[in-house]
Amino acid sequence: MFTSIRCQLGLVSKSKSSIKNKRFIHQTSFLLQKQLKNSSTSSLFGDITEIDTEIKKKSNDFSDSLQSMNEKFDINKITLKNDEKLQEFIGHKPTSAVDKLLTPLKKQLYEANVASNGFFKNNQIITLNGEQYKLKLTREEIDVLEPSLYVKSYRIKSSVKKATIFLRFIRNMNVKQAITQGQFHSKKIGREVSQLLSDSLKSAPELNLNPNELYISQIWSGSDGSWVKRVDPKGRGRSGVIHHPYIHIRAILKTSITQKRLAWEKSQKEVERKPRFQLPNEKLRFKLDGHYKW
């Protein structure tokens, strides 16, 4: 049966060694070089496939346009407002949260309130252009108006449980004091947090914020992306999987204006609180009986 198949293919051989040593397909390097020279596309499959010349032209045009843009514009001077291509892609000009939530009159009243008191006092009467107004803002509107700095980190090799222990410790602390605590703290996450906060102080002058007055209003951590897995070998031929956790840290830094407002609101609550009595300050209108009845 096997000999008949080999006869049809023209590969009849009695010894196995001759079959092993035989090379069915063979092409020298000279023939390959000759084929590459003759083909127009300089590839082995040049006769089958052809490269589209239009794709080459488009790629060259795109690279030329990028070079012309670099010569025309300075990348360091491009911002969100003067980038025309970005504005066309967005479709509308981005508006700030202050413009969305507050009217121009409310912003004027807020600025007058801060100028007179040093910080914002809610439900206070303000005189503006010879008229009196009573401004009352919600918590969301106050957070938008007060200056703040949002900070975020990259992937950090740690867990949420370990990071939360240190983050609770530095919450409501001055930023420079928190950086010092992170450098000398026993937790490894402290150095990562101190590096994050020190980088945020560099961007504070760009937003007209005083780095000495910044404090940590909110700071939290969360799981970041996919975790790295590793095999955990165990006894008796078994194995498990170790997950290496990665987290990110987010923080909101605020100024002393917010601290003064919170202290004033706390004192106002104490003033408005009613006095507490251990017993009601009223006359007894019933007869007291003894504890034992027999």
Side-chain angles (χ1 to χ4, degrees), residues 156-163 188-189 227 244-247:
I156 299 174
K157 179 69 176 67
S158 182
S159 64
V160 177
K161 186 176 180 181
K162 293 177 183 177
K188 190 177 179 180
I189 192 68
W227 293 1
H244 293 275
Y246 285 86
I247 62 169

Side-chain angles (χ1 to χ4, degrees), residues 102-109:
L102 300 176
T103 60
L105 179 59
K106 274 188 176 182
K107 284 190 278 186
Q108 291 179 3
L109 293 173

Side-chain angles (χ1 to χ4, degrees), residues 27-286:
Q27 192 172 12
T28 60
S29 61
F30 176 75
L31 294 174
L32 287 172
Q33 292 176 3
K34 188 176 180 182
Q35 187 179 0
L36 291 172
K37 287 180 181 178
N38 295 330
S39 61
S40 60
T41 56
S42 69
S43 66
L44 291 173
F45 305 98
D47 299 333
I48 301 170
T49 58
E50 295 181 358
I51 298 174
D52 193 358
T53 55
E54 293 183 359
I55 297 172
K56 281 186 174 181
K57 289 181 180 178
K58 289 181 180 178
S59 61
N60 293 330
D61 294 340
F62 181 70
S63 61
D64 294 338
S65 64
L66 287 176
Q67 291 177 1
S68 62
M69 286 175 65
N70 292 332
E71 294 175 358
K72 189 176 180 181
F73 301 105
D74 188 3
I75 298 173
N76 298 324
K77 295 181 180 179
I78 295 175
T79 60
L80 183 64
K81 294 181 180 179
N82 62 11
D83 194 351
E84 297 178 357
K85 295 291 184 181
L86 180 60
Q87 297 298 334
E88 291 177 2
F89 176 76
I90 293 171
H92 60 86
K93 292 183 179 180
T95 56
S96 61
V98 178
D99 297 332
K100 287 182 180 179
L101 294 174
L102 300 176
T103 60
L105 179 59
K106 274 188 176 182
K107 284 190 278 186
Q108 291 179 3
L109 293 173
Y110 173 79
E111 292 172 358
N113 192 334
V114 173
S116 60
N117 301 320
F119 59 93
F120 177 71
K121 289 185 178 182
N122 214 353
N123 295 325
Q124 293 291 313
I125 298 172
I126 303 165
T127 57
L128 187 66
N129 298 327
E131 296 183 0
Q132 291 185 347
Y133 299 93
K134 188 176 182 181
L135 182 61
K136 182 179 181 181
L137 298 178
T138 61
R139 183 64 58 190
E140 185 181 8
E141 292 172 346
I142 294 172
D143 290 338
V144 167
L145 285 166
E146 287 179 342
S148 62
L149 182 63
Y150 177 69
V151 182
K152 60 181 180 180
S153 70
Y154 297 101
R155 285 166 64 88
I156 299 174
K157 179 69 176 67
S158 182
S159 64
V160 177
K161 186 176 180 181
K162 293 177 183 177
T164 306
I165 297 171
F166 179 73
L167 297 182
R168 285 179 179 175
F169 170 65
I170 63 171
R171 192 172 291 142
N172 295 326
M173 190 182 289
N174 190 285
V175 174
K176 290 190 174 181
Q177 187 180 357
I179 291 170
T180 307
Q181 293 292 336
Q183 290 291 338
F184 298 99
H185 203 269
S186 59
K187 291 290 180 183
K188 190 177 179 180
I189 192 68
R191 300 186 192 91
E192 299 286 347
V193 176
S194 63
Q195 183 65 34
L196 174 66
L197 295 175
S198 61
D199 292 340
S200 66
L201 292 180
K202 296 177 183 178
S203 59
E206 298 176 2
L207 300 172
N208 298 325
L209 299 176
N210 188 1
N212 298 323
E213 295 181 354
L214 290 175
Y215 81 100
I216 302 171
S217 177
Q218 301 176 32
I219 188 166
W220 66 94
S221 64
S223 176
D224 190 84
S226 59
W227 293 1
V228 178
K229 297 179 182 179
R230 184 167 59 84
V231 179
D232 183 17
K234 300 181 182 296
R236 298 183 181 181
R238 294 176 297 175
S239 63
V241 179
I242 296 176
H243 296 270
H244 293 275
Y246 285 86
I247 62 169
H248 62 260
I249 294 173
R250 304 286 187 266
I252 297 175
L253 312 180
K254 293 192 175 183
T255 59
S256 60
I257 296 174
T258 307
Q259 285 182 323
K260 292 176 183 178
R261 178 181 60 80
L262 293 174
W264 178 77
E265 289 178 354
K266 187 177 180 180
S267 63
Q268 289 297 113
K269 285 183 180 179
E270 293 178 356
V271 170
E272 295 174 358
R273 185 181 296 169
K274 295 181 180 179
R276 296 179 180 179
F277 295 98
Q278 190 173 3
L279 296 173
N281 192 14
E282 296 177 357
K283 292 183 178 180
L284 297 175
R285 299 183 181 278
F286 58 91

